[in-house]
Amino acid sequence: MRTLIPSAMVALTLFSCAPKTGRSPVYLNPSAPLEDRVEDALSRMTLEEKVAMTHAQSKFSSAGVPRLGIPELWHTDGPHGIRPEVLWDEWDQAGWTNDSCTAFPALVNLAATWDRELSRLYGDCIGQEARYRGKDILLGPGINMGRTPLNGRTFEYMGEDPYLAGELVVPYVQGVQANGVAACVKHFAVNNQETRRTATNSVVDDRTLYEIYLPAFRKAVTEGGAWAIMGSYNLYNGQFNCHNKKLLCDILKGEWGFDGVVVSDWGGCRDDDEAVSNGLDIEMGTWTNGLRGAASDSYSNYHLARPFLERLRDGRATAEQLDDKARRILRTVFRTAMSPEPHYGSFTSPEHFAAARKIAAEGLVLLKNDGTLPLSVPEGGKLLVVGENAYKMMVVGGGSSNLKTKYEVIPLDALHEVYDGKVQVEWQRGYVGDVTTDYNKVVTGQDLSESRSAARLLEDAVSAAREADVVLYIGGLNKSAGQDNEGTDRADIVLPYGQDALIEALAEVSSRLVVVNISGSPVAMPWADRVNAIVQGWYGGSESGHALVDVLTGAVNPSGKLPFTMPLSLSDGPLKTERQYPGVKEEGKQWWQEYYDEGVFVGYRWYDTRQIPVQYPFGHGLSYTRFEYSDASVKKAADGWKVQLTVKNTGEVAGAEVVQLYIADREASVERPAKELKGFEKVYLQPSESRKVSFMIGREDLSFFDAARHAWVAEPGDFEALVGSSSADIRARLEFKL
Ligand code: GLC
């Protein structure tokens, strides 16, 4: 039976196809102003075509307008590299052979570089890889604040301080978008744990929200110009964040003037009416109606599919609501897939691997060193390497940031490259952590099977250590469940798999023991006083092994600084009650409730203000050289105060120092943290070289958020500018008055 197209449709279709006048319609004209292209395309679209764009058509794509030649939008994980292709409607790998990417370091590793230029380089490289793979929206970076060290996704984020994360997310976003790819900054907002992430309501006061949990997102939008934002799974203020009126309409699109698209987390959209009215633009999904089971023709069941059409036809939804979504989506298409400038990107180039290696190395943090580093093993001597993380591939796993990479250099291979023929390198596993080698069909090819008992593994390591000149321990976490992994939080910050006992046993028999902790989140280090040197390593991506050995051998002078506090124990932290974390179930409330009672006292803001000793403080990181601070001053300027100082490299090797500026408000009507980061500069200095460093302090740097007035307030009174090499290593205290 022939399908009869209503006459109006025929007329409309004829009218809106590109007229054969030889002049291409405005929306197809790359040099036409963006908004003209948007309006022209919108005027040619049918209601059904507009609705189709607002939801998923496959696991990682949302519809375009085939009739008008407007392409679909392809979304891709993740923040550390371009996820391997999956099947149209499955999470399973599609088994392509051209999608092995460059795996860049985890974002916590980037944060530890404290280097804005490296963040731009990172964004540019990953943006090139996304573009080359034909992806329009990169689902990253993640910038949720490190409220608890237990958060399973700490490795995907940029630490515990909103200023650090904000300063680094801006160049990352700009780098990605320079390639005609939208950065989709996530997960908006107050999404600070994995436990019950789709069923917990974050209860946060406005001051805490504006001072801690929004600033990095605000900078990503207002300074970085982010084209996309991903709503988070949790609730805030009693509404799911993928359609949260206060966050998406009032703050993001209202106060910040965001003109891009809000994309739901996969299955994060939970309500038909709120999806229409509360700022969601593209509903992406795991299954129909959120995370629940699939249904046939599931994409047309999505909240912004059939239910949206029904509401548009019966008046419960308006054309204006639809057009606002469609405009934002079209704007995204004309910024990416139909970008005015052609972008072709590049994939797994030597430059990308070199960038990955540089970023990984620059983010390694030397926590302690009695001179045992850089490694020096006598010719013909023996270097014993202990620990599963010297061998286990770490680019895989962790959840949606899991990657299939062209290659991964593991630490053991990098050590052999440097030492073979000069020094004997022996490896002892020491413990068994995670034996998985297949991650959703991304197969590592490693054999992690082990027949020895834990006791035997320890004994073998210790007896080998007795014969070694230097012992290099490489352990930590491994992105398996509960160990830095999406969907599961950690249970404690104690090292798993009996590693503390192993390290203690090694310390008993070795007088030259270097410990490298590879993790994406803080771990307790009760053995810190018993080892000679400690390096905080990260999931460093394809070149992680080379980067680590570059630092261990001194080829690269470490310059990383901790982006979060390393507490002595979890119980020292600010989250003391169930209601603070992981939340409580309350009478008559459908969802779990989590109360951010600690307010703004997160991370060092807590430990510093409460004068609680920590293992290693926020901003801490040593070098193989030394830096002297001098001539620090603060002077009133037209638009604030100018802090100046001189930093000198007084050691024998070139190195980089991250000069940090904290502000302390000495008299305020509210309790404020003892200090807050408001500036940092990374300076690279040759031996004996000096450099003047200056910071401008403006009123906004002195302000706190006054919820009653819904405004930032800088109260008159005494302030101090604290300049230092870490939040605890303050080299100059400069008083000034507002
Ligand atoms: C996941 C994650 C999000 C990811 C998305 C697509 O649940 O929360 O970060 O981008 O789904 O995989």
Side-chain angles (χ1 to χ4, degrees):
M1 192 267 280
R2 269 176 354 103
T3 307
L4 293 179
I5 302 176
S7 56
M9 270 297 285
V10 173
L12 189 68
T13 306
L14 286 178
F15 165 74
S16 54
C17 279
K20 299 294 175 233
T21 58
R23 208 166 43 79
S24 73
V26 170
Y27 76 93
L28 289 176
N29 175 1
S31 53
L34 175 61
E35 295 313 312
D36 292 0
R37 299 180 74 186
V38 168
E39 292 310 317
D40 180 49
L42 192 72
S43 69
R44 299 167 184 270
M45 289 168 64
T46 66
L47 181 137
E48 290 74 9
E49 288 168 337
K50 295 175 187 175
V51 170
M53 297 182 105
T54 66
H55 59 82
Q57 64 170 15
S58 78
K59 190 59 71 192
F60 280 98
S61 71
S62 49
V65 189
R67 177 178 63 84
L68 295 176
I70 294 174
E72 51 218 10
L73 282 173
W74 281 90
H75 309 235
T76 182
D77 286 317
H80 308 152
I82 307 309
R83 181 176 185 154
E85 205 67 23
V86 299
L87 295 172
W88 180 258
D89 190 19
E90 301 297 334
W91 289 111
D92 287 343
Q93 308 300 315
W96 288 14
T97 54
N98 65 343
D99 57 351
S100 294
C101 69
T102 305
F104 296 96
L107 286 196
V108 71
N109 186 155
L110 171 62
T113 69
W114 291 57
D115 189 322
R116 298 175 180 87
E117 284 169 33
L118 282 187
S119 190
R120 171 70 197 231
L121 172 65
Y122 192 126
D124 192 27
C125 291
I126 197 171
Q128 287 173 25
E129 301 237 335
R131 180 41 58 211
Y132 186 84
R133 290 269 291 103
K135 307 302 180 184
D136 307 302
I137 300 181
L138 175 72
L139 303 171
I143 53 170
N144 292 98
M145 284 293 104
R147 174 175 182 251
T148 168
L150 302 181
N151 184 355
R153 299 184 82 171
T154 303
F155 73 100
E156 285 188 69
Y157 301 150
M158 293 193 184
E160 69 186 29
D161 180 85
Y163 180 84
L164 175 63
E167 286 297 302
L168 294 180
V169 73
V170 167
Y172 181 108
V173 166
Q174 291 170 338
V176 170
Q177 298 185 168
N179 293 282
V181 175
C184 185
V185 187
K186 66 189 185 180
H187 304 82
F188 192 62
V190 283
N191 172 244
N192 305 100
Q193 70 192 54
E194 291 301 291
T195 303
R196 292 188 290 269
R197 63 177 178 166
T198 62
T200 299
N201 177 40
S202 300
V203 184
V204 195
D205 66 276
D206 270 7
R207 180 185 170 203
T208 303
L209 179 73
Y210 276 81
E211 285 191 27
I212 302 295
Y213 298 102
L214 292 183
F217 284 103
R218 177 170 46 81
K219 274 188 180 171
V221 169
T222 59
E223 295 179 30
W227 292 339
I229 290 282
M230 183 187 292
S232 60
Y233 279 132
N234 58 302
L235 300 92
Y236 159 70
N237 224 16
Q239 276 189 340
F240 280 102
N241 284 350
C242 290
H243 32 77
N244 186 298
K245 184 181 175 311
K246 180 175 176 183
L247 287 177
L248 301 179
C249 303
D250 302 348
I251 297 174
L252 176 67
K253 297 179 176 181
E255 292 176 21
W256 301 348
F258 176 65
D259 74 351
V261 280
V262 173
V263 178
S264 77
D265 201 339
W266 267 236
C269 180
R270 309 288 286 272
D271 181 277
D272 292 344
D273 293 314
E274 289 188 10
V276 170
S277 57
N278 287 6
L280 177 62
D281 300 306
I282 304 180
E283 177 189 2
M284 296 305 289
T286 300
W287 302 109
T288 309
N289 289 345
L291 292 165
R292 290 179 294 286
S296 66
D297 182 21
S298 62
Y299 293 109
S300 54
N301 292 330
Y302 272 36
H303 299 281
L304 286 181
R306 183 180 300 121
F308 192 13
L309 277 170
E310 286 163 359
R311 284 163 174 72
L312 285 162
R313 289 177 181 141
D314 68 18
R316 285 178 292 164
T318 67
E320 290 69 33
Q321 288 171 320
L322 171 62
D323 285 352
D324 181 56
K325 298 180 197 300
R327 279 194 179 91
R328 292 171 180 275
I329 296 167
L330 287 166
R331 199 169 290 137
T332 308
V333 172
F334 295 134
R335 284 169 164 162
T336 59
M338 295 178 80
S339 160
E341 307 80 39
H343 297 283
Y344 304 102
S346 61
F347 198 58
T348 63
S349 62
E351 292 79 8
H352 289 178
F353 286 103
R357 179 170 182 167
K358 180 170 179 53
I359 295 162
E362 293 282 325
L364 290 168
V365 184
L366 181 59
L367 296 176
K368 172 185 180 182
N369 185 26
D370 67 357
T372 301
L373 287 178
L375 285 177
S376 67
V377 186
E379 193 77 17
K382 179 175 167 186
L383 171 65
L384 174 69
V385 183
V386 180
E388 187 177 271
N389 284 358
Y391 176 72
K392 177 177 166 51
M393 290 173 73
M394 302 276 234
V395 160
V396 289
S400 58
S401 59
N402 170 38
L403 292 173
K404 176 170 77 171
T405 183
K406 204 158 191 174
Y407 66 80
E408 177 177 354
V409 178
I410 58 175
L412 199 56
D413 289 347
L415 287 163
H416 279 298
E417 281 176 26
V418 167
Y419 286 111
D420 280 2
K422 296 175 222 150
V423 165
Q424 184 200 348
V425 176
E426 179 189 344
W427 177 55
Q428 285 290 339
R429 185 170 188 166
Y431 66 89
V432 175
D434 177 37
V435 297
T436 312
T437 56
D438 177 330
Y439 295 83
N440 188 354
K441 294 194 175 60
V442 176
V443 180
T444 65
Q446 291 193 307
D447 176 6
L448 292 172
S449 60
E450 177 59 63
S451 55
R452 290 172 290 175
S453 69
R456 183 59 199 271
L457 282 161
L458 185 144
E459 187 39 49
D460 286 353
V462 171
S463 56
R466 288 193 179 91
E467 316 303 320
D469 295 286
V470 179
V471 179
L472 172 59
Y473 183 85
I474 304 180
L477 308 182
N478 51 27
K479 294 166 69 177
S480 62
Q483 306 299 347
D484 288 341
N485 185 286
E486 178 182 342
T488 57
D489 286 341
R490 294 170 63 200
D492 199 327
I493 62 169
V494 174
L495 275 177
Y497 318 127
Q499 293 182 74
D500 286 343
L502 172 57
I503 293 168
E504 298 277 1
L506 293 169
E508 283 295 318
V509 299
S510 169
S511 60
R512 296 178 71 198
L513 171 57
V514 175
V515 172
V516 177
N517 173 61
I518 293 183
S519 69
S521 53
V523 300
M525 300 179 172
W527 30 262
D529 296 340
R530 304 199 51 205
V531 303
N532 302 83
I534 306 171
V535 173
Q536 171 58 32
W538 313 101
Y539 306 120
S542 296
E543 285 284 342
S544 54
H546 280 150
L548 178 59
V549 172
D550 286 346
V551 164
L552 293 174
T553 59
V556 168
N557 186 355
S559 62
K561 298 283 187 178
L562 287 177
F564 49 56
T565 305
M566 284 280 196
L568 286 163
S569 87
L570 183 65
S571 57
D572 290 341
L575 309 188
K576 305 290 187 191
T577 63
E578 285 275 308
R579 64 179 254 133
Q580 281 177 286
Y581 176 84
V584 291
K585 199 74 171 61
E586 291 176 340
E587 191 61 37
K589 290 185 181 172
Q590 182 178 5
W591 309 109
W592 292 75
Q593 304 298 311
E594 180 159 63
Y595 294 88
Y596 286 44
D597 295 337
E598 73 285 352
V600 299
F601 299 95
V602 173
Y604 71 92
R605 287 173 167 83
W606 166 261
Y607 299 104
D608 262 7
T609 311
R610 300 289 183 269
Q611 296 178 331
I612 297 167
V614 298
Q615 186 72 56
Y616 294 109
F618 173 79
H620 172 72
L622 303 175
S623 171
Y624 294 146
T625 188
R626 292 176 306 285
F627 298 100
E628 181 188 84
Y629 288 48
S630 61
D631 307 333
S633 66
V634 60
K635 290 188 179 59
K636 187 74 180 72
D639 50 356
W641 291 261
K642 184 170 187 178
V643 170
Q644 271 196 312
L645 68 141
T646 300
V647 183
K648 179 176 183 178
N649 178 346
T650 56
E652 291 71 45
V653 293
E657 168 70 331
V658 178
V659 182
Q660 299 158 44
L661 169 74
Y662 296 85
I663 295 293
D665 184 349
R666 290 292 171 236
E667 45 180 311
S669 60
V670 295
E671 189 189 7
R672 299 192 69 178
K675 63 171 83 77
E676 299 184 277
L677 182 72
K678 297 294 181 184
F680 63 86
E681 281 303 325
K682 189 162 194 176
V683 287
Y684 293 79
L685 298 171
Q686 293 303 321
S688 306
E689 184 185 2
S690 294
R691 181 84 48 79
K692 261 199 184 308
V693 177
S694 61
F695 299 98
M696 277 309 295
I697 299 170
R699 285 184 72 91
E700 67 282 357
D701 299 315
L702 310 181
S703 302
F704 65 89
F705 188 79
D706 182 330
R709 294 159 63 178
H710 197 76
W712 288 90
V713 172
E715 291 176 333
D718 294 335
F719 287 85
E720 272 190 312
L722 309 172
V723 178
S725 185
S726 86
S727 61
D729 180 3
I730 299 301
R731 306 288 180 87
R733 311 179 80 93
L734 306 164
E735 292 185 352
F736 64 98
K737 194 180 273 298
L738 172 62

